[in-house]
Structure formats: structure tokens, C-alpha cells
Amino acid sequence: MLIRRSDDLKSSDITPESVCLDRRQFVGTAGALALGSVLTPATLQALSRTGGQPGTSEKLTREADATSYNNFYEFGTDKDEPKDQAKNFITKPWTISVDGMVKQPKTFAFDDLIKGLALQDRVYRHRCVEAWSMVIPWQGVQVRDVINRCDPLPSAKFVEFTTLLDPTRMPGQRRSVLPWPYTEALRLDEAMHPLALLVTGMYGKPLPNQNGAPLKLVVPWKYGFKGGKSIVRLRFTDTMPHTTWNDAAPSEYGFFANVNPTVDHPRWTQAKERRIGQFLKIPTLMFNGYGQQVASLYSGMDLRKSY
Ligand SMILES: Nc1nc2c(c(=O)[nH]1)N[C@H]1C(S)=C(S)[C@@H](COP(=O)(O)O)O[C@H]1N2
Ligand SMILES: [Mo]
């Protein structure tokens, strides 16, 4: 076992120690691979296997699919456009500003924001609201570690993530297909959950531009649109922030956006999904299969109303 599948992790399991151990094990093999050889699908599949645990038969999505079938409207609205339109997007230098309800507003250089934080290797299911899905090996840091570095005030209840606004570098922003910049937000307790990541890489490589380089939010129990890409700002607040898709079409995209097979999108069912690379549709799982870890965040809420 090299990468523990996140769906085998209970939140109580995720101690800094076990995380470091996973990392060392990963570096042992994948680190050697990074020194000149290529990560083959078979190797990546082996990296994702934990042996005998439920759910581990799910195959990783081919890297070529995960990096060429993208939603990133800043670089085109067709799935195959971002990989071409983002090809020359420059992400160095990159800064992330932190403001709102924090002890002290700050601007971090990208490296400083994540420096010293435990790097995580996690294989997550990724479920788009459009009823397709993938299984992706991510590398990144826990959102909670970044939040702790930001020193939010105790009164902060939400954190908002903003994508870069720069129509000279993001051609899609020259058209008003969405209100720019793209923003997303989480309740602070959701953001502090150990499954929530800010990713910097996938498939053992730096995050490709089309997947949201250099920093993308990944919240595996929610629909993919919650995972804002190319993030430049974290803002802490005590009122629920507006979010891009919720503003664009509130009846189709809720603030919570928890994967829920019992709440249909107004134009299609969410009970099933097409796993990219597979022929037959498969059932969608409540909380995308992460209910054991995250359901308690929503106890007492009507998830049909708070979709
Ligand atoms: N800035 C920005 N972030 C975004 C999007 C976008 O268009 N712009 N699309 C979202 C949607 S709908 C999905 S499914 C995921 C896709 O991420 P992927 O290309 O890595 O699969 O990114 C999300 N984050
Ligand atoms: Mo999506």
C-alpha cells in the first residue's frame, strides 16, 4: 500500500504521523519514479491500492482523460479547450492574499503559503454536477493547515476562495459567460475537515494549468464546481458568501453542493454517473461515498432543501 485511499480513512485516522508515513511510503516508490521514469497506469493503480478494502477496485481515471476533459471556463467552455487555451498560462510568481475576518490581512507567496505543511497523497472520487465522474490521485495540503496559517478570528464562519481575475491571461474572462472572478466558499467547519485539500499536483506531477494550477480546492464529497481553480484569495467572513454558480443558477447549484443521489438537478437525474473511461453508468453515492467521514457536519439539516 502506497497511497491510502481516502475513503478508507476516518477523520480520526488522519493524524500528522500517519500522514507523514503515507508520504514517506509514497516517496519511496513514486520519488524514485520521478527521477527520470514515467508513471504508468499500472504503477499508479498499484499506488492507489490498499488491498482488500471495499472500494479499492475502482480504477484510476487515465491521466490523459483527467487532463484533457476539463471544466475551466476561464479557458473555454468546451471540455477540450482548457488544455490548449491554458497551455501558456504562467503561474510563477503567484501570490495568495488573505483578508476579511483575520487577525492580520496578509499576502503570501505561493511557496510560503504551503511551506512546511504535510503534503498529502490522496486518491479521491471526483463527481461533476454534470453526472460524470473520475478517480484522481491528488497531491496537496489540507485546507485546515492553510487556514490555521491565516489566523482567522473566532467569529469567522465561512471561507471564500477566489480564482485569478485577469482577462489578458484568461481569455474566457473576455466573455461574460459567468460573473468573474469565479468564487466558491465553504462553511468553516467544512473547510477544516481533513478530507478538504488545496491541491498542487496530480498523478505525481505538478498540477497542470487546465486542472487549476498552481492551487485548486478539492472537496471530494461535493460536486466538482465547489473546487475553485487557480486561487489567489482567501476571505474569511461571518455571513454566507455569494458563489459563482449559485448566483448564476440558484435552482441548479446550491451553496452546499453535497453529492446527493436523491436530489436531482432540474434537468437530469443525479442518481447515476458516467465514470469517464467506463461504458455503463454507475450509481452515485451519498456524499460521493464519503458519508462516514462527513455526514456529521450536516446533522439536523434538511439536505433536500440545503442542496
Ligand atoms: N475557476 C474555475 N474553477 C472551476 C471551474 C471553472 O470553470 N472555473 N469549473 C469547476 C467544475 S464544474 C469542475 S467539475 C471542476 C473540474 O476540475 P478538473 O478539470 O480538474 O476535473 O473544476 C471546478 N472549478
Ligand atoms: Mo463540474
Side-chain angles (χ1 to χ4, degrees):
M1 176 199 62
L2 291 151
I3 299 177
R4 285 183 74 178
R5 286 193 66 94
S6 48
D7 40 359
D8 302 328
L9 291 178
K10 288 187 219 73
S11 41
S12 57
D13 277 351
I14 304 176
T15 61
E17 214 178 299
S18 68
V19 158
C20 290
L21 187 66
D22 290 347
R23 182 66 194 157
R24 276 198 301 277
Q25 288 171 328
F26 178 75
V27 166
T29 305
L33 285 164
L35 295 170
S37 63
V38 175
L39 282 175
T40 64
T43 315
L44 281 164
Q45 194 57 47
L47 289 170
S48 77
R49 226 173 260 139
T50 58
Q53 302 287 342
T56 52
S57 60
E58 281 175 289
K59 287 224 300 268
L60 295 183
T61 299
R62 288 172 52 225
E63 182 183 355
D65 288 337
T67 57
S68 66
Y69 189 83
N70 302 107
N71 276 333
F72 198 172
Y73 279 16
E74 287 84 340
F75 294 105
T77 51
D78 289 344
K79 299 277 183 291
D80 61 349
E81 285 180 322
K83 74 170 189 321
D84 296 325
Q85 293 197 22
K87 202 180 292 173
N88 300 319
F89 181 58
I90 295 170
T91 59
K92 274 180 192 156
W94 193 268
T95 54
I96 294 112
S97 60
V98 173
D99 63 290
M101 301 180 89
V102 288
K103 283 203 189 108
Q104 178 76 59
K106 280 181 238 179
T107 299
F108 289 91
F110 170 75
D111 291 332
D112 294 337
L113 184 72
I114 59 170
K115 193 190 288 172
L117 303 183
L119 199 58
Q120 315 287 320
D121 289 290
R122 306 269 183 88
V123 177
Y124 283 159
R125 282 184 290 274
H126 165 40
R127 172 61 157 81
C128 179
V129 78
E130 297 163 322
W132 52 264
S133 65
M134 301 188 188
V135 178
I136 298 180
W138 300 109
Q139 290 82 40
V141 296
Q142 295 184 128
V143 178
R144 66 174 179 182
D145 288 346
V146 170
I147 287 178
N148 289 335
R149 189 158 275 183
C150 297
D151 282 329
L153 298 176
S155 44
K157 297 277 180 296
F158 297 89
V159 55
E160 175 190 73
F161 302 84
T162 304
T163 296
L164 176 70
L165 176 64
D166 188 346
T168 66
R169 295 160 69 197
M170 294 181 142
Q173 290 178 341
R174 294 172 212 158
R175 298 165 48 211
S176 45
V177 282
L178 283 175
W180 309 113
Y182 193 102
T183 65
E184 259 308 334
L186 298 169
R187 228 170 47 195
L188 208 50
D189 60 332
E190 300 181 299
M192 293 297 280
H193 192 283
L195 288 178
L197 298 183
L198 280 162
V199 301
T200 56
M202 64 195 286
Y203 296 85
K205 297 172 188 162
L207 197 62
N209 290 341
Q210 61 269 34
N211 293 90
L215 198 64
K216 181 201 181 192
L217 180 65
V218 171
V219 191
W221 67 95
K222 294 179 180 284
Y223 290 118
F225 70 88
K226 293 300 283 186
K229 294 178 165 182
S230 304
I231 289 166
V232 294
R233 180 183 181 198
L234 271 64
R235 182 178 69 93
F236 293 86
T237 169
D238 60 357
T239 51
M240 187 181 276
H242 282 263
T243 57
T244 294
W245 279 108
N246 186 238
D247 282 356
S251 66
E252 304 189 19
Y253 312 98
F255 176 85
F256 285 96
N258 290 318
V259 174
N260 188 340
T262 73
V263 177
D264 288 341
H265 184 279
R267 291 181 280 134
W268 57 78
T269 173
Q270 294 290 28
K272 289 187 173 175
E273 64 200 53
R274 184 169 63 88
R275 180 63 55 82
I276 299 300
Q278 290 179 20
F279 181 66
L280 293 173
K281 289 195 175 166
I282 56 175
T284 287
L285 302 172
M286 187 66 202
F287 296 115
N288 205 23
Y290 301 97
Q292 205 193 334
Q293 294 100 313
V294 303
S296 63
L297 291 171
Y298 309 102
S299 55
M301 281 176 61
D302 180 350
L303 295 176
R304 302 185 64 83
K305 290 209 178 92
S306 300
Y307 55 85

